[in-house]
Amino acid sequence: MSFDARNISIAFGGLKVLKDVSVSVRSGVITGLVGPNGAGKTTLFNCLTGVAHPQEGTVRIDNADISSFPLHQRIQLGVSRTFQTPRLDLDASVLDAVMMGFYSRNKPSLLGGFVASRGRQAREKALREQAERLIAQFELTSDPYQRSSALSLGRLRLLEVARALASAPKFLLLDEPAAGIDEHDRALLGRAIRLAAADRIGVLLVEHNVGFVAELSHHMVALVRGQIVAEGNPQSVVQDEQVMTAYLGGHRVAA
C-alpha cells in the first residue's frame, strides 16, 4: 500500500509554500522528511492529514483520491498521526489514554455502550492487555492508572505515539516526535518506529533532528523553500550541498 502526496502546490497570501511536491509513504518503509524552518514541512504534513487541502495536486491512498477527506475519514482508512504539541486528556489515566487509540477507528455503537456481553467484556480485556503491553514497551509508567499529567513532556510524546499505534494504522505520521525528549526516550521512540515498519506500517517521520531521521529512515526527503532539493538514501541526502547549506549550515552529518 502507498499513501502519496502528488505534485502538491499551495500558497498563502500569494506566497507559494509548497511547489510541485511529491512524497510517497509505503508499507513497511520509514520515510524521513527534513528541512529548515519555513521549508513547508508542516504544510505538507497538514495536507496529508486533512488539516489543509492542496490547491494543486492530490493526496491518494492506493490511487484513490482523498484530497478533500477530513482527518476523521482518513483515520477510518488507516492513517494515524501525532502532533508537535501532544493532544491528550491529561486528567485521564495513562491506560485510558492509550486505549483511546483502539476506538479512534472502531467506535462502539450506542447500544454496545449500554449492553454488556461476554464477547464485549472479553474484547475489553484483550484491548486492556494490549494497552498495557504498549505502556511497558514505551516504559511510560509502572502504574497504568497514573494520571497522564504526571508524565514528563518526553513521556507524553511517547504516550501519544503509543496511542497512535493502538489504532493499528496502515500509515503512521509523526510530527516532531523527538522534540524535547532525552536520549533514553529517543531510543525507545526509535525502537518503536522500527517495530512499526517491521509490522508493515508505513511511517512518515517529520523531524528537526536530522541525525535521528537519518539513522532511522529507509528513504529521506529534504525540503527547502517549499521544494524538494534532495531525495534518496539518508547518506546521500544529508551530504547534499543544498541540504548542508540550507539546513545543516554547511556541516556534514553522518548517516
Side-chain angles (χ1 to χ4, degrees), residues 1-6 23-29 31 48 59-66 77-79 170-171 173 200-203:
M1 295 188 69
S2 66
F3 183 30
D4 305 312
R6 299 186 183 177
V23 172
S24 181
V25 184
R26 302 187 305 280
S27 296
V29 174
T31 299
L48 285 166
V59 176
R60 294 175 176 269
I61 290 182
D62 280 351
N63 289 320
D65 188 346
I66 64 165
L77 292 172
V79 177
K170 298 172 183 174
F171 303 101
L173 279 59
R200 302 299 300 159
I201 296 172
V203 179

Side-chain angles (χ1 to χ4, degrees), residues 42 103 169 216-217:
T42 297
Y103 302 114
L216 283 174
S217 299

Side-chain angles (χ1 to χ4, degrees), residues 119-139:
R120 180 171 173 268
Q121 289 173 343
R123 174 165 172 75
E124 288 284 342
K125 182 175 183 292
L127 293 180
R128 190 171 297 273
E129 291 173 350
Q130 188 176 342
E132 289 173 346
R133 286 194 293 272
L134 283 167
I135 290 170
Q137 176 186 333
F138 283 94
E139 299 180 13

Side-chain angles (χ1 to χ4, degrees), residues 90-156:
L90 297 180
D91 289 327
S93 71
V94 174
L95 180 64
D96 286 343
V98 174
M99 289 191 69
M100 283 298 298
F102 296 122
Y103 302 114
S104 63
R105 289 180 60 195
N106 299 295
K107 294 182 180 178
S109 67
L110 181 61
L111 182 61
F114 290 99
V115 181
S117 68
R118 184 173 299 175
R120 180 171 173 268
Q121 289 173 343
R123 174 165 172 75
E124 288 284 342
K125 182 175 183 292
L127 293 180
R128 190 171 297 273
E129 291 173 350
Q130 188 176 342
E132 289 173 346
R133 286 194 293 272
L134 283 167
I135 290 170
Q137 176 186 333
F138 283 94
E139 299 180 13
L140 294 175
T141 177
S142 59
D143 178 12
Y145 296 95
Q146 179 184 37
R147 287 177 61 180
S148 299
S149 59
L151 300 183
S152 66
L153 173 60
R155 292 303 162 92
L156 286 174

Side-chain angles (χ1 to χ4, degrees), residues 84-246:
Q84 287 187 20
T85 301
R87 297 188 181 184
L88 298 161
D89 180 358
L90 297 180
D91 289 327
S93 71
V94 174
L95 180 64
D96 286 343
V98 174
M99 289 191 69
M100 283 298 298
F102 296 122
Y103 302 114
S104 63
R105 289 180 60 195
N106 299 295
K107 294 182 180 178
S109 67
L110 181 61
L111 182 61
F114 290 99
V115 181
S117 68
R118 184 173 299 175
R120 180 171 173 268
Q121 289 173 343
R123 174 165 172 75
E124 288 284 342
K125 182 175 183 292
L127 293 180
R128 190 171 297 273
E129 291 173 350
Q130 188 176 342
E132 289 173 346
R133 286 194 293 272
L134 283 167
I135 290 170
Q137 176 186 333
F138 283 94
E139 299 180 13
L140 294 175
T141 177
S142 59
D143 178 12
Y145 296 95
Q146 179 184 37
R147 287 177 61 180
S148 299
S149 59
L151 300 183
S152 66
L153 173 60
R155 292 303 162 92
L156 286 174
R157 289 192 182 281
L158 293 177
L159 173 56
E160 193 175 43
V161 176
R163 183 182 64 180
L165 287 170
S167 69
K170 298 172 183 174
F171 303 101
L172 177 63
L173 279 59
L174 302 172
D175 193 6
E176 304 283 353
I181 70 176
D182 62 26
E183 186 175 347
H184 177 73
D185 286 350
R186 276 198 305 275
L188 291 174
L189 174 62
R191 183 179 69 183
I193 292 172
R194 288 191 176 100
L195 287 173
D199 203 29
R200 302 299 300 159
I201 296 172
V203 179
L204 179 67
L205 175 60
V206 179
E207 253 300 331
H208 278 293
N209 187 332
V210 71
F212 180 73
V213 177
E215 180 184 356
L216 283 174
S217 299
H218 302 114
H219 185 80
M220 202 163 163
V221 179
L223 277 177
V224 176
R225 293 187 293 276
Q227 294 179 294
I228 293 176
V229 297
E231 182 174 9
N233 68 70
Q235 184 174 10
S236 67
V237 171
V238 299
Q239 293 179 350
D240 182 88
E241 199 68 38
Q242 292 186 79
V243 175
M244 288 191 293
T245 299

Side-chain angles (χ1 to χ4, degrees), residues 31-89:
T31 299
L33 178 65
V34 298
N37 288 332
K41 302 187 304 296
T42 297
T43 301
L44 179 60
F45 196 96
N46 287 340
C47 284
L48 285 166
T49 56
V51 176
H53 301 288
Q55 293 161 344
E56 298 176 29
T58 59
V59 176
R60 294 175 176 269
I61 290 182
D62 280 351
N63 289 320
D65 188 346
I66 64 165
S67 304
S68 62
F69 286 21
L71 177 58
H72 73 270
Q73 285 186 283
R74 300 182 194 212
I75 291 172
Q76 295 296 319
L77 292 172
V79 177
S80 190
R81 67 161 294 174
T82 64
F83 296 84
Q84 287 187 20
T85 301
R87 297 188 181 184
L88 298 161
D89 180 358

